[in-house]
Amino acid sequence: MISITDLRASYGPLPVLFGFDLNVARGETLALIGANGAGKTTTFAVMTGRLKPQTGSVSINGRDIAGLTTIDIVVHGLALVPEGRQLFPSLSVEENLLVGAHSRRSGGWNIERVYEIFPTVAEFRNRPSMALSGGQQQLVAIGRALMSNPDVLLCDELSLGLSPAAVDIVYSALQKLRGEGLTTVIVEQDIARALSASDRFACMRHGQIVLSGASKSADRAEISNAYFGMR
Ligand code: ATP
């Protein structure tokens, strides 16, 4: 479903991604892990059209999206839940969801389905989003991304700044989406959480993927070595 080949990118003269391949199969949840500055968010920035790659390709359903505008990429089936949620605080929950329908593709996901799968979001639909707890806001941010009816959902640091109870709520929501067969890539600092929420993991360091494998059988010591560069 997603195929990344020899991806290289830089911020001005500063190279950040040094050429790596990554594949995500349909229906799979992949956890992209790695220490601060490893290049996870930059990878998402290239995938969502906010940063043009120097070389390499990013394809979704066999179509190369590298270098397209963000709106065109959404139309090709990719949606992002950004770090920090980035909701419009004074708009209602429902209005925030409708923002996500701006570049809507036809098909499965719509506001009724978001309300059905996330009843808490439905309950607070008329409240300003800033009146919700952090965990509830994260559900709205996920719902907003679903409103474009994506084939692939990218989730950047869903648990950042949330209480442990809120993180549980957000990850059980993600579990529901897994059950629905949605293809998902999550960036998550908490390695244990990332592994339990995914089918496969890929560990980045210094702009490359240094280890990948099945999450279930992942060797924690091997991951720590890859994560911190101790090998
Ligand atoms: P984090 O968990 O801290 O977000 P990350 O793995 O997502 O880490 P990136 O944010 O992709 O890492 O950063 C990769 C490298 O690119 C870092 O060295 C970072 O300092 C640098 N970087 C990120 N954004 C910019 C930018 N806008 N301009 C210049 N350098 C940047």
Side-chain angles (χ1 to χ4, degrees), residues 11 14 16 35-42 157 189:
Y11 291 108
L14 180 77
V16 174
N36 287 343
K40 308 175 300 291
T41 297
T42 304
E157 310 245 7
Q189 291 279 343

Side-chain angles (χ1 to χ4, degrees), residues 95-162:
E95 286 164 337
N96 271 284
L97 291 176
L98 292 173
V99 168
H102 180 261
S103 313
R104 217 187 123 60
R105 309 159 75 227
S106 60
W109 286 100
N110 53 35
I111 202 157
E112 287 77 27
R113 195 151 166 233
V114 169
Y115 285 154
E116 193 184 307
I117 200 159
F118 299 153
T120 321
V121 174
E123 191 185 333
F124 297 124
R125 71 180 82 178
N126 295 319
R127 296 212 191 154
S129 68
M130 65 186 166
L132 273 59
S133 70
Q136 291 162 346
Q137 287 186 27
Q138 192 61 277
L139 297 186
V140 178
I142 296 171
R144 178 184 57 190
L146 293 173
M147 289 291 288
S148 67
N149 193 33
D151 288 331
V152 180
L153 190 68
L154 307 182
C155 300
D156 199 356
E157 310 245 7
L158 291 180
S159 57
L160 203 70
L162 298 183

